[in-house]
Amino acid sequence: MTVDKTLLRALRGEALPRPPIWLMRQAGRYLPEYRAVRQEAGSFLDLCFSPELAAEVTLQPIRRYGFDAAILFSDILVVPHAMGQSVRFEEGVGPRLEPLKERRDIDALQVEGVVERLAPVMETLRLLRRGLPQEVTLIGFAGAPWTVASYMVEGGSSRDFALVKGWAYRDPEGFQALIDRLVAATVAYLDAQVVAGAEVIQLFDSWASALPSGILERWSLRPMRAIAEAIKARHPGIPVILFPRGVGVAYEDFARAGGAEGLSLDSGVRPAWAKEILSPQVTVQGNLDPILLVSGGEAMRAEARAICAALEGRPHIFNLGHGIVPQTPPDHVAELVSIVRGAEA
Ligand code: CP3
């Protein structure tokens, strides 16, 4: 018997009495059982490329909290790694890449062979489809081209995005070549994720906020729509969720023209505004401040209830406005789940 999974129902446009819930970065350092596996794995990339261990850490938050969806454990930066760029994760620092500096560096990136080099990720997905409870939806993901390009050009996290924006302003054709390569590699990668068992795809454009309104469409919306359309052309039933974090009123453009079923809202968006303004065709996801999950208590409870109330009657998936941070107390997550499910004392 097949189960009608709540997350898929919400993404088909059903307004459920209680929204399904999962949380970005639900697997991670705030969980002691994650830290134990992480230590066993060695480096962070080793963990991403060890199917048994990656599947295990994906399942940990499902066992603990019974979320409605599991998100593949991997990272957005495995794509540049598979394209031949050097990528490392430094303890306490974050990602470090050998930065792209000139057109030659873009032309040297490989698109062919990306799926083969990411074969362990597909094996993780196959293990998960076997290991997950039947009511839990499996989410695959990738970074959006703009956000991934920002790490590739800046060489890591950035404060002002001066190098990547400088390139996009100075040499838009050259920068377009990088975006086009990322679109092609990402489509091939996500196609393989769906074949391996991903039931929903989320695209993370975490740094869309760095793009001024005049160039947001070109570097964020269009490449994400191109990926969403290519995935749908190959897999018509697979819903896509876009997360153009921090774009403010431009969320309206993504709802209307993003080519996706779902739109993930950061914490800056007022849910009542989203309900009134965003096309009713899209399912909204979000948008509790991850720091409220750290502080917990009445402030967290009140805001979680307010988000659910504001979005009542429209398709909604409960989530955070951005990923869980490492200092989050695991008990607060359990409390949030029971509030959203309406089961709190
Ligand atoms: O549980 C999940 O959500 C699935 C796994 C996941 C990770 N990264 C694991 C991870 C997902 C979906 C991501 C996406 C990701 N990675 C994004 C987009 C979402 C966002 O947060 O904006 C970005 C920008 C990255 C790039 C990245 N990866 C950075 C900047 C860092 C360092 C910061 C940090 O938190 O350490 C990472 C490392 C990373 N990715 C960790 C995890 C669990 C921590 C590494 C560790 O365990 O040591």
Side-chain angles (χ1 to χ4, degrees), residues 142-260:
W146 163 255
T147 289
V148 176
S150 80
Y151 286 96
M152 295 171 87
V153 172
E154 300 283 342
S157 302
S158 172
R159 201 179 278 273
D160 53 16
F161 300 90
L163 295 174
V164 67
K165 281 164 66 172
W167 198 332
Y169 283 130
R170 195 173 59 245
D171 173 25
E173 283 81 55
F175 191 67
Q176 185 73 54
L178 173 57
I179 296 293
D180 290 346
R181 272 179 199 236
L182 284 168
V183 168
T186 304
V187 167
Y189 176 44
L190 292 174
D191 174 45
Q193 287 192 26
V194 173
V195 171
E199 301 170 281
V200 172
I201 293 298
Q202 177 154 324
L203 291 173
F204 288 88
D205 215 351
S206 305
W207 301 116
S209 55
L211 288 165
S213 55
I215 54 172
L216 181 64
E217 183 186 348
R218 180 163 185 188
W219 303 125
S220 173
L221 192 150
R222 269 194 244 161
M224 284 208 281
R225 178 173 57 210
I227 294 168
E229 285 176 349
I231 295 304
K232 274 160 208 308
R234 296 172 196 209
H235 307 283
I238 295 291
V240 176
I241 303 170
L242 307 183
F243 181 38
R245 187 167 73 94
V247 300
V249 293
Y251 263 110
E252 196 184 346
D253 304 338
F254 287 81
R256 190 174 21 81

Side-chain angles (χ1 to χ4, degrees), residues 68-81:
D68 294 282
I71 181 159
L72 163 71
F73 188 85
S74 180
D75 197 82
I76 63 168
L77 299 178
V78 300
V79 169
H81 176 77

Side-chain angles (χ1 to χ4, degrees), residues 22-30 34-35 38 43-44 47-48 57-58 61 71-77 89-95 141-143 147 151 156-157 202-207 243 245 322-326:
W22 70 280
L23 304 178
M24 292 190 261
R25 292 282 186 97
Q26 63 192 20
R29 284 168 297 190
Y30 76 107
Y34 170 85
R35 295 195 296 269
R38 171 78 171 74
S43 79
F44 174 70
L47 175 54
C48 293
V57 297
T58 306
I71 181 159
L72 163 71
F73 188 85
S74 180
D75 197 82
I76 63 168
L77 299 178
F89 285 83
E90 261 171 43
E91 221 59 55
V93 180
F141 73 91
T147 289
Y151 286 96
S157 302
Q202 177 154 324
L203 291 173
F204 288 88
D205 215 351
S206 305
W207 301 116
F243 181 38
R245 187 167 73 94
H322 196 194
I324 293 185
V325 297

Side-chain angles (χ1 to χ4, degrees), residues 129-142:
R129 275 311 284 272
R130 276 181 254 137
L132 275 174
Q134 57 174 354
E135 68 279 8
V136 179
T137 304
L138 180 55
I139 303 175
F141 73 91

